[in-house]
Amino acid sequence: MGLFADLRDSISAVTAKLFAGESEDPKRIGIYGPPNAGKTTLANRIARDWTGDAVGPESHIPHETRRARRKENVEIERDGHTVSIDIVDTPGVTTKVDYEEFLDHDMEKDEAVRRSREATEGVAEAMHWLREDVDGVIYVLDSTTDPFTQVNTMLIGIIESRDLPVLILANKTDLEDSKVQRIRNAFPQHETIELSALEGENMDEVYDRIAEKFG
Amino acid sequence: MPHQCTNCGHTFADGSKEMLSGCPECGGNKFQFHPSEVPDDAPDDATEEPPERPDTGVPSAVGKAAATVRDLVRDDTPVSDDATSPDDETPQTADAPETAGGPSPGAPSADDGNRDPPDATPGQSTGTDSEPDDGGDDDAEDAAQASARSEMVTADDLPERPPSEGRVVKEPDADADEPDMEALREELNEQFESIKVLAPGQYELNLMELYDREEYIIALQENGRYVIEVPETFAGSERREE
């Protein structure tokens, strides 16, 4: 199974890191956040900008990403030096998955139930990776929605408890009701960068901060 | 269905510790619990139950405890009067609350059951009982009762009575509350699953537990089981069902 192969790869990557020292390997940066925040759009934007490839399909349907997808060795050049990272696009983290929310997207019930199960497995996987396999976090939030949620608070808390470097991205600034300050207020202890991953707005600053934080 | 805030309807994953410090959405502190044997009905129950049936589960037990306390509070006045004037004065005890009800209308309103029982009664009992000491309008009757009693009981018992009445209120309160808190904690611990299958395609996730557990959940089954990968068995790729 590909999953097991992935697992073994990640384990071997961790053990290799243990024995070889951390300096050589690119940092593995997890892109986390609630569903529909624009994580895959951002991952694709970064991957396309620096490698030419995409990471995975984007969609307005929640839980489009149901398995963590990795793009390895993304080399970001800033100020003459190169930062190499592995990008891990994770499924949106939530405390509740209900197939009924998929029914609004012209989906048959069986398909919706299957998608719901996969999304749940995906959240479990994302949480497990956060524990085992991530060196830093890009936390993506939809700036048109309220950031004060249980999931955001819990995830940011976990990230802080692990002392992982984290960047908070206030995405979807192209939308009218985007309120970046609300996110800054919610997590004043962290740096918040606004962007539109879809439109590619403010990506230069995003790359600057990624290089600073994870380089 | 796990716990749900009765105020705003916000739901919590089973055993969510957040609940213990109040609802993060609205600050409410009343939650209703759906026992684990109803997961299949949960979606229906979820729509029907919130406002109506706080009868099941721990919060309702706490509610019952509160009701019990309220009942005790209600009964307290006659009971305590019976205790203080055991034999002769039963009609007088009926009078006593009435007269007590005059200066402190707390007694009848407590009977209505609309008051906060634990708060209202101690104040009320000390109020009615301290008044004779202070020399209020009831002084004559209470003093008469007191003197009648003092012939049988030492005078020291009189000042001690108010606290003892207070205890009568509090003791059942403590008795009722502590086991419930323990039960609540046990319930929370027992339900501290990673993923709960409410119905096919409907899941509740305990993120903290998913993060904390070493095992890696790789596949869900609709019967509520899931396939996990245990760290020790990574090399052999063995699967185990939990």
Side-chain angles (χ1 to χ4, degrees):
Chain A
M1 260 177 98
L3 189 59
F4 291 117
D6 283 350
L7 268 172
R8 271 194 221 104
D9 287 350
S10 66
I11 298 296
S12 58
V14 169
T15 48
K17 190 189 294 179
L18 283 175
F19 291 111
E22 293 187 32
S23 55
E24 294 298 317
D25 288 321
K27 295 258 176 60
R28 189 162 298 153
I29 308 304
I31 300 180
Y32 279 84
N36 259 5
K39 295 177 294 298
T40 304
T41 306
L42 173 73
N44 282 341
R45 168 73 58 182
I46 296 173
R48 284 202 192 100
D49 280 356
W50 301 101
T51 71
D53 294 332
V55 170
E58 303 159 19
S59 162
H60 290 296
I61 306 174
H63 302 291
E64 180 67 29
T65 307
R66 299 185 295 283
R67 282 291 179 214
R69 297 196 192 95
R70 188 185 308 178
K71 188 77 186 169
E72 295 186 325
N73 277 316
V74 178
E75 297 191 337
I76 298 175
E77 291 179 24
R78 296 326 271 175
D79 296 332
H81 70 277
T82 301
V83 176
S84 185
I85 58 173
D86 292 349
I87 294 173
V88 184
D89 181 29
T90 66
V93 175
T94 180
T95 54
K96 205 168 189 175
V97 181
D98 190 337
Y99 74 91
E100 286 181 3
E101 66 183 302
F102 300 126
L103 296 180
D104 301 335
H105 298 273
D106 288 337
M107 214 176 281
E108 293 297 320
K109 186 183 173 186
D110 286 351
E111 167 67 8
V113 167
R114 184 181 62 81
R115 197 182 177 95
S116 176
R117 188 181 66 242
E118 289 174 359
T120 304
E121 292 167 0
V123 176
E125 185 181 37
M127 294 307 293
H128 188 78
W129 279 47
L130 185 57
R131 173 192 168 106
E132 302 282 337
D133 219 13
V134 166
D135 303 314
V137 172
I138 294 174
Y139 199 81
V140 183
L141 288 165
D142 177 347
S143 60
T144 67
T145 62
D146 184 2
F148 290 98
T149 66
Q150 191 186 8
V151 166
N152 292 337
T153 308
M154 196 181 293
L155 277 182
I156 295 288
I158 288 173
I159 291 162
E160 288 172 351
S161 73
R162 278 207 55 201
D163 253 343
L164 289 171
V166 58
L167 277 181
I168 293 180
L169 300 193
N171 195 21
K172 305 195 184 182
T173 54
D174 54 303
L175 298 181
E176 229 174 65
D177 42 357
S178 161
K179 291 176 182 167
V180 176
Q181 191 56 40
R182 195 165 48 175
I183 295 177
R184 291 205 170 94
N185 293 343
F187 305 105
Q189 70 275 36
H190 298 291
E191 192 172 8
T192 297
I193 306 142
E194 59 185 86
L195 80 157
S196 165
L198 186 67
E199 302 293 333
E201 290 169 9
N202 205 31
M203 288 308 293
D204 270 340
E205 187 184 359
V206 170
Y207 293 135
D208 284 343
R209 295 289 172 271
I210 287 176
E212 280 175 22
K213 204 81 174 179
F214 309 120
Chain B
M1 189 84 185
H3 299 273
Q4 183 174 40
C5 176
T6 57
N7 191 25
C8 69
H10 183 90
T11 54
F12 296 81
D14 271 356
S16 172
K17 285 178 181 166
E18 287 220 349
M19 247 174 28
L20 298 175
S21 52
C23 176
E25 297 282 333
C26 67
N29 56 7
K30 286 181 184 166
F31 306 96
Q32 96 177 338
F33 167 72
H34 298 262
S36 54
E37 59 263 25
V38 296
D40 291 342
D41 306 332
D44 297 331
D45 290 351
T47 53
E48 293 168 13
E49 282 191 22
E52 292 170 355
R53 269 213 285 153
D55 290 330
T56 52
V58 175
S60 74
V62 175
K64 280 180 196 161
T68 315
V69 172
R70 195 183 306 135
D71 292 339
L72 285 164
V73 167
R74 239 179 272 166
D75 297 342
D76 183 51
T77 332
V79 164
S80 60
D81 282 342
D82 284 350
T84 49
S85 59
D87 302 320
D88 337 329
E89 305 278 331
T90 27
Q92 217 179 6
T93 55
D95 293 340
E98 282 175 20
T99 52
S104 66
S109 70
D111 285 343
D112 294 337
N114 290 331
R115 282 194 154 211
D116 295 336
D119 296 338
T121 359
Q124 166 198 334
S125 61
T126 51
T128 50
D129 289 325
S130 61
E131 273 170 19
D133 296 337
D134 298 336
D137 288 335
D138 304 327
D139 217 9
E141 186 168 0
D142 279 338
Q145 289 178 337
S147 67
R149 283 180 215 117
S150 66
E151 291 174 6
M152 304 188 289
V153 190
T154 58
D156 293 342
D157 284 347
L158 278 174
E160 280 177 15
R161 226 180 302 127
S164 75
E165 283 181 17
R167 269 182 226 131
V168 170
V169 175
K170 281 175 185 173
E171 275 169 4
D173 188 8
D175 287 347
D177 260 7
E178 283 178 12
D180 275 321
M181 280 307 292
E182 282 175 20
L184 178 62
R185 287 202 187 93
E186 272 179 29
E187 289 263 5
L188 289 174
N189 288 334
E190 281 173 13
Q191 294 159 11
F192 225 62
E193 301 176 24
S194 305
I195 296 173
K196 182 159 196 168
V197 183
L198 302 175
Q202 294 179 316
Y203 304 93
E204 300 236 348
L205 295 91
N206 186 332
L207 298 181
M208 209 59 202
E209 181 67 11
L210 282 171
Y211 172 77
D212 278 339
R213 66 183 301 156
E214 287 188 9
E215 306 91 342
Y216 176 29
I217 294 173
I218 53 176
L220 283 166
Q221 297 172 350
E222 291 303 343
N223 59 4
R225 297 171 182 274
Y226 33 75
V227 179
I228 61 170
E229 192 71 41
V230 183
E232 287 77 9
T233 62
F234 272 154
S237 290
E238 282 181 30
R239 289 199 201 177
R240 202 189 82 188
E241 284 188 13
E242 191 179 68

